[in-house]
Amino acid sequence: MILESDRGSIRVAAAILRKGGLVAFPTETVYGLGANALDAVAVRKIFEAKGRPVDNPLIVHIASRKQLAQVVHSIPAGAGILIDFFWPGPLSLVLPRSQHIPAVVSAGLPSVAVRMPDHKEALALISAAGVPVAAPSANRSGRPSPTSYRHVLDDLSGRIDAVIKSDFCRVGVESTVLDLTGSRPVILRPGGVSREELERVSGQKIYLAGIKDISKRPISPGMKYRHYSPKAPLYLITGSEYRRRRLISAFEDFYRRRGKKVGVLETFMGGSSILKHDEGLFASRLYEALRAFDRLGVTVILAEEKSTAGIGLAVMNRLRKAATRVLRA
Ligand code: TXA
Ligand code: MG
């Protein structure tokens, strides 16, 4: 069922959630695939529909501070200021899980990730459902996250009950996942809120979970899987700008002479100029571009390494995970 975003449709979607169904809904980051977070049977359907490994925990979405008490067992010191400043917004906090949230939501972990999305229809849906909503990104597992209802239908048509129609997600990459259950705050997944902003607001050093930490102790199980991948192989090109450009031209010549299409991430979006200088806009179009390359049937996708400042940390994290190979020009 494809639903509009008017009040009547939101009510219909909320009723589906309450009855244990699956509804894909837009947020400011990417589309979520929602189920009632208090209903273990409904939550299991999310894993089936996405083909998601059951050891990868979900984020619980809430619409009010009051709902937080249903989801978490306690709120550590230091969380309050982040909640006040960044919610609603693209920051998921990993906190001690309450007994009301079934273990399947968190893949059995004693913690739970929770966030309040900064999106009118998402908040209206969660409020109308009257329950916290567990929602991973609404893509088939391993694919780029969806930023339009069309992407959701491409991946999940026939596997979910409804999708709320929208063509746009403002941020375009997922929320930052920040673990507050340990002795120091650790970013498990960079995202819509930058590390710099978190440090400024909290007045504390914010750590970044490295790949090595992850292999020792899978604190964010999602990080071990290949992710965000388009169908064509993606080569991430690093090195100086001059060398990157030269390698990209050489690739283009090589494939074009053989009658194949090459997708170059930056120039694809038409704008050498704006996208190059507007990291936010680049991030918001990233997944759409990867999916567009698939539709256009490109043979190979070339992406350039970019700065990891601000939102760039999230963008480079996604490109590295999507990459078949990283090539040093
Ligand atoms: O912006 C977003 O976060 C979107 C929208 C829909 O809200 N959701 C999203 O969910 O990206 P998903 O499932 O694709 O990614 C959730 C990430 C995974 O990397 C998962 O491992 C991590 O959050 N995560 C969830 N609960 C966790 C927990 N209790 N401990 C550690 N990591 C957790
Ligand atoms: Mg995801």
Side-chain angles (χ1 to χ4, degrees):
M1 201 189 312
I2 300 177
L3 296 169
E4 299 295 329
S5 49
D6 57 281
R7 269 217 238 140
S9 304
I10 297 280
R11 267 205 302 276
V12 172
I16 294 172
L17 287 177
R18 272 198 306 274
K19 277 188 234 142
L22 300 184
V23 177
F25 61 98
T27 79
E28 82 281 28
T29 58
V30 301
Y31 258 83
L33 179 58
N36 176 356
L38 306 175
D39 178 346
V41 175
V43 169
R44 274 192 207 103
K45 291 185 198 163
I46 293 179
F47 288 89
E48 272 167 45
K50 283 188 53 117
R52 181 180 179 103
V54 288
D55 64 349
N56 193 0
L58 309 177
I59 295 172
V60 175
H61 296 67
I62 57 174
S64 66
R65 284 288 284 269
K66 227 170 69 196
Q67 259 183 335
L68 187 59
Q70 240 183 327
V71 178
V72 307
H73 173 263
S74 55
I75 302 178
I81 189 165
L82 296 177
I83 289 172
D84 287 342
F85 197 88
F86 292 107
W87 282 6
L91 177 65
S92 296
L93 297 175
V94 175
L95 299 169
R97 174 165 55 90
S98 123
Q99 293 167 355
H100 302 294
I101 300 294
V104 60
V105 170
S106 289
L109 295 171
S111 58
V112 63
V114 56
R115 84 176 189 100
M116 190 188 292
D118 184 17
H119 192 282
K120 195 166 145 245
E121 283 78 30
L123 292 172
L125 174 66
I126 301 162
S127 299
V131 291
V133 174
S137 50
N139 50 286
R140 284 304 290 261
S141 202
R143 296 272 298 143
S145 295
T147 54
S148 155
Y149 79 102
R150 293 167 214 271
H151 306 158
V152 175
L153 292 174
D154 285 344
D155 278 19
L156 297 174
S157 182
R159 310 178 73 92
I160 62 178
D161 298 298
V163 57
I164 296 173
K165 207 168 160 182
S166 165
D167 264 321
F168 177 65
C169 295
R170 177 174 58 79
V171 178
V173 292
E174 299 84 346
S175 62
T176 301
V177 178
L178 183 68
D179 186 355
L180 295 179
T181 61
S183 54
R184 49 195 205 179
V186 182
I187 293 179
L188 302 180
R189 177 183 70 181
V193 170
S194 71
R195 181 187 194 175
E196 295 90 328
E197 287 174 279
L198 289 170
E199 291 192 329
R200 189 163 46 76
V201 171
S202 67
Q204 279 194 73
K205 181 163 169 57
I206 303 287
Y207 294 82
L208 197 58
I211 303 301
K212 278 185 201 128
D213 300 339
I214 297 304
S215 64
K216 273 190 227 134
R217 191 166 72 98
I219 35 182
S220 183
M223 292 180 72
K224 71 179 187 232
Y225 297 104
R226 184 157 182 251
H227 256 146
Y228 317 111
S229 300
K231 288 174 187 137
L234 186 151
Y235 296 136
L236 181 63
I237 318 285
T238 70
S240 72
E241 179 159 6
Y242 171 74
R243 283 162 170 273
R244 290 194 314 244
R245 292 285 149 141
R246 210 174 50 180
L247 185 63
I248 287 174
S249 303
F251 260 114
E252 287 190 296
D253 282 353
F254 177 85
Y255 283 106
R256 289 220 171 106
R257 263 190 257 121
R258 285 160 183 75
K260 312 250 187 198
K261 284 188 198 165
V262 181
V264 180
L265 201 49
E266 208 168 53
T267 53
F268 163 79
M269 291 169 293
S272 43
S273 48
I274 290 193
L275 289 165
K276 218 167 147 182
H277 300 293
D278 185 337
E279 271 75 26
L281 192 57
F282 186 89
S284 73
R285 299 292 170 78
L286 176 66
Y287 291 136
E288 190 189 316
L290 294 179
R291 284 177 179 264
F293 285 139
D294 280 347
R295 275 199 306 280
L296 295 169
V298 306
T299 303
V300 60
I301 300 170
L302 305 174
E304 280 185 75
E305 177 162 62
K306 298 183 142 282
S307 151
T308 53
I311 190 86
L313 188 65
V315 170
M316 286 317 302
N317 168 269
R318 305 308 189 269
L319 283 176
R320 281 193 178 265
K321 284 178 173 257
T324 320
R325 286 184 65 184
V326 179
L327 301 177
R328 190 164 180 85

